[in-house]
């Protein structure tokens, strides 16, 4: 069971905005950089956001990461069909001495 | 093209062993950390192991003592040796290029497509 909690799913119409939350604690999100990854079946996972809010190379600026205390979030604006898939937050957990991923959120574009 | 390609997956019986390879192209593996991450059906991503470019290693509790990471820099290839395999090790295994230096800043900017490992009798 992951120590980083995300909503199981979010859905929205094209061109709208969705926000995915990532809730952790002081041993992980509160004291480490939060990273966001995108997974599509059969494809290599893709880095979206690093160091809480830094956009990875080639990622459109429709994606925005933020962090406050022990919670982080990923916002996707101008939703497109290619944005569908599973999104995971991640961070180092100093108590577990392990890199931990969130529970994952499936994004559906209606 | 800059990429990572995993190979060596397959079907293995519980208690058996399997070694995955992660071939890097387009960049020099010896300059980078490599991580292994797995995705089991119906579950989320799980970090498995870290192979630092200076030789240091870290493992998830679930695989410590059973899995070993290594690399052959001359072949630009990293490896994940898996032994005492269990049913719960069944998953797609990804290798990923790591950045960030200290663990609190780790992130993975390049991933392979994964290799399927099935542990079943």
């Amino acid at each position: 069971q992951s120590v980083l909690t995300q909503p199981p799913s979010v859905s929205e119409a094209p061109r709208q905005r969705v926000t995915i939350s990532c809730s952790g604690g002081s041993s992980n999100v509160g004291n480490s950089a939060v990273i966001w990854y995108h997974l599509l079946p059969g494809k290599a996972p893709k880095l979206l956001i690093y160091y809480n809010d830094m956009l990875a190379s080639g990622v459109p600026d429709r994606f925005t990461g933020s962090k406050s205390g022990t919670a982080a979030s990923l916002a996707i604006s101008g939703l497109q069909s290619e944005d569908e898939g599973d999104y995971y937050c991640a961070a180092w957990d100093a108590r577990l001495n392990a890199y931990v991923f969130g529970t994952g959120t499936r994004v559906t574009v209606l | 093209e800059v990429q990572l390609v995993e190979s060596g997956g397959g079907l293995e019986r519980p208690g058996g062993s399997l070694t995955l390879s992660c071939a890097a192209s387009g960049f020099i593996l010896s300059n980078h950390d490599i991580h292994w991450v797995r995705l089991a059906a119906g579950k989320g991503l799980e970090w498995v192991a870290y192979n630092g470019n200076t030789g240091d290693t870290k493992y998830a509790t679930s695989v410590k003592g059973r899995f070993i990471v290594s690399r052959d820099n001359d072949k630009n290839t990293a490896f994940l040796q898996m032994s005492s395999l269990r049913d719960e090790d069944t998953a797609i295994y990804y290798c990923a290029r790591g950045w960030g230096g200290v663990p609190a800043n780790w992130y993975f900017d390049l991933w392979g497509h994964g290799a399927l490992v099935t542990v079943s009798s």
Side-chain angles (χ1 to χ4, degrees):
Chain A
Q1 183 137 357
S2 176
V3 297
L4 304 183
T5 303
Q6 300 176 230
S9 64
V10 296
S11 58
E12 189 51 90
R15 297 181 297 282
Q16 299 305 305
R17 173 187 170 99
V18 295
T19 301
I20 302 169
S21 60
C22 173
S23 177
S26 59
S27 64
N28 42 68
V29 174
N31 280 285
S32 296
V34 174
I35 318 301
W36 290 91
Y37 301 97
H38 179 210
L39 267 73
L40 278 170
K43 286 196 164 186
K46 180 181 178 183
L47 172 69
L48 296 174
I49 300 287
Y50 64 102
Y51 294 168
N52 306 321
D53 57 11
M54 300 296 291
L55 204 61
S57 176
V59 176
D61 59 7
R62 300 184 293 103
F63 291 84
T64 306
S66 63
K67 187 180 93 167
S68 177
T70 59
S73 64
L74 175 71
I76 312 172
S77 59
L79 207 56
Q80 301 180 5
S81 58
E82 67 206 49
D83 299 332
E84 288 197 326
D86 296 329
Y87 290 78
Y88 289 87
C89 61
W92 175 257
D93 191 299
R95 180 177 61 85
L96 297 175
N97 197 32
Y99 192 77
V100 293
F101 288 93
T103 48
T105 299
R106 176 150 296 178
V107 170
T108 302
V109 181
L110 300 173
Chain B
E1 182 184 2
V2 176
Q3 63 178 355
L4 293 168
V5 179
E6 301 93 340
S7 61
L11 174 64
E12 184 56 64
R13 296 187 183 279
S17 300
L18 209 58
T19 296
L20 301 182
S21 299
C22 171
S25 57
F27 68 98
I28 300 172
L29 187 72
S30 60
N31 292 338
H32 295 276
D33 301 334
I34 290 293
H35 294 259
W36 292 87
V37 176
R38 66 186 180 185
L39 179 66
K43 297 193 174 182
L45 290 172
E46 180 188 13
W47 173 78
V48 172
Y50 155 77
N51 183 355
N53 69 327
T54 58
D56 53 331
T57 59
K58 287 185 184 294
Y59 298 92
T61 302
S62 58
V63 306
K64 194 173 294 185
R66 301 188 300 121
F67 289 13
I68 298 174
V69 291
S70 62
R71 59 172 72 202
D72 184 335
N73 288 328
D74 290 339
K75 294 183 178 178
N76 227 33
T77 301
F79 303 97
L80 179 67
Q81 296 174 256
M82 304 180 291
S83 60
S84 301
L85 283 166
R86 305 167 180 168
D87 290 349
E88 56 264 35
D89 294 321
T90 295
I92 298 172
Y93 284 74
Y94 301 96
C95 61
R97 185 173 70 179
W99 288 89
V102 296
N105 290 336
W106 277 354
Y107 64 96
F108 314 148
D109 75 324
L110 178 68
W111 297 62
H113 282 76
L116 178 62
V117 172
T118 303
V119 183
S120 174
S121 53

